[in-house]
Amino acid sequence: NKALLITTIVACVLCFITSLARTYGWMRRQQDLMVGMDALVRFVIYYMNHLANVFFLINILTCAFVYVFFRNQSAVDYMLPTESTYVFGTLYAAVVFKGIYCMFRIHEQCNADIFVIDWERSKGQLLRESKEVPISMWRSTFLANELNEIQTLRGWRPLFSMLLILLFLEGLQYMNLLSTSVPDVPSIPSVTASTNNFLRLAVGAFFWIVITVGLWVLEYVVYYRLFQVHPLKAFADLCSVSNISITILLEPQWGFYIHGESVHQHSDVSMVEFQENLKKEAQGNMPTRGLGGQDHCQTFEVFIGTYMRQYLFLCYADLEMEYQRACLLYTSDAADEEDSVDLGGRRIIKKKKKENKRVMKNCEYIIRYTKS
């Protein structure tokens, strides 16, 4: 217990230092080095996450040590400990801390700012009307729907993992490893078998780690490389053929960017033209899909300045204002209902087109500067 206490104290100090470093990095991304309530909350969340990881590692190593020494003894030199306040106390704390951190990450994902940039150009003007050929909105709608579906994508399969663990423990009788019966010791002819929490934690953690790592290797190293494209990579390809880029800001000034500007002139085309475009790209007659047409990388980690963030916020505020105005027109008793809905919808669409063009021009300037 004294050794575990010392190890736990040292781990807490190291987690405190790493949490401070991570919080400082977050403050630098915010371009605000003043310690406020947001910084304190971030520090507490990061500290809980680091403590959960370290506590779990300490408990696993401790239980593995107990299991190996107990099973490999030829005589009764080492008895199993019955209880340990530090082991099971830190284990319960790790579960609570990791649960809080997971809820924080879900909250962060649900409140991320997502900006869709449509690069599609109009094909010209109508013959008998003095206006441009409209651009279809179905590409943006379909892309938003696909982005919504991959929000719940997991890096592992918990139900299948639990099924395999039950297969090994119950089906293949590995549950006998939990028995506290002493190995072949001549001086003790018979020992009543029971279970011990240290052995349960050691065996359970071993199967969880082995099965999870094995499934990850089979899924990401074998399955997604030889048989099927990973959903995230497929979504990046979908952005390219849709001629749409997406910026996802998990923080006010930090996030990720998927460059989906198409190498073809138009993406809103018929099926025949779409197949011909893909054929030209497969034959190598078109530039690569990456940024600048020379690199295959389409996903980037981005940092934006304060003024750029304020500009995006103003664009979103204008759209929100038009939406609220349309709702007021819709609920107004003095105006005709059909005209009000049509007027509000047209205002929102016009405002969205205007803001999309402004954002697209700024992005084009940034991309041209990056290419050069």
Side-chain angles (χ1 to χ4, degrees), residues 4-227:
L4 285 177
L5 177 60
I6 296 174
T7 305
T8 304
I9 294 175
V10 173
C12 291
V13 174
L14 294 178
C15 291
F16 184 84
I17 297 175
T18 55
S19 300
L20 280 178
R22 190 173 179 183
T23 306
Y24 177 72
W26 175 81
M27 294 172 64
R28 288 191 61 187
R29 290 197 299 269
Q30 305 301 313
Q31 298 183 6
D32 184 10
L33 298 181
M34 297 296 295
V35 178
M37 184 59 64
D38 293 338
L40 292 178
V41 171
R42 288 271 177 175
F43 170 76
V44 173
I45 294 296
Y46 293 153
Y47 191 44
M48 288 182 178
N49 180 44
H50 293 177
L51 285 179
N53 296 332
V54 172
F55 285 169
F56 178 76
L57 180 62
I58 292 176
N59 291 333
I60 295 304
L61 294 178
T62 302
C63 294
F65 173 83
V66 171
Y67 182 86
V68 170
F69 271 80
F70 176 74
R71 286 298 180 184
N72 292 333
Q73 60 182 345
S74 58
V76 185
D77 298 328
Y78 183 82
M79 299 300 295
L80 285 174
T82 57
E83 292 293 337
S84 178
T85 305
Y86 300 110
V87 171
F88 297 104
T90 54
L91 180 61
Y92 298 147
V95 173
V96 175
F97 291 164
K98 184 61 71 170
I100 295 175
Y101 181 74
C102 289
M103 290 189 294
F104 170 76
R105 292 301 301 270
I106 293 175
H107 173 77
E108 189 178 46
Q109 180 179 351
C110 294
N111 290 274
D113 294 327
I114 302 175
F115 299 92
V116 178
I117 305 172
D118 193 350
W119 300 100
E120 189 70 12
R121 307 286 186 176
S122 177
K123 296 181 180 180
Q125 291 187 348
L126 297 176
L127 294 178
R128 298 183 179 180
E129 300 181 18
S130 60
K131 65 178 183 179
E132 294 182 348
V133 178
I135 300 174
S136 175
M137 47 78 65
W138 289 109
R139 294 175 298 105
S140 302
T141 304
F142 178 73
L143 197 69
N145 181 65
E146 291 297 319
L147 179 62
N148 185 55
E149 289 183 357
I150 64 175
Q151 291 294 314
T152 57
L153 183 66
R154 287 183 172 181
W156 67 302
R157 304 183 181 276
L159 295 179
F160 188 59
S161 300
M162 286 187 281
L163 179 63
L164 291 179
I165 290 175
L166 288 176
L167 174 64
F168 280 99
L169 292 180
E170 295 291 345
L172 300 181
Q173 299 299 320
Y174 280 99
M175 188 68 73
N176 297 330
L177 297 175
L178 305 179
S179 176
T180 59
S181 58
V182 183
D184 297 334
V185 179
S187 60
I188 302 180
S190 62
V191 178
T192 304
S194 60
T195 58
N196 184 272
N197 290 330
F198 285 86
L199 302 184
R200 292 171 63 90
L201 184 58
V203 175
F206 172 78
F207 280 104
W208 269 108
I209 294 174
V210 170
I211 291 177
T212 302
V213 173
L215 289 179
W216 184 90
V217 171
L218 290 176
E219 185 173 6
Y220 288 90
V221 179
V222 179
Y223 181 71
Y224 283 135
R225 289 192 178 184
L226 301 178
F227 301 100

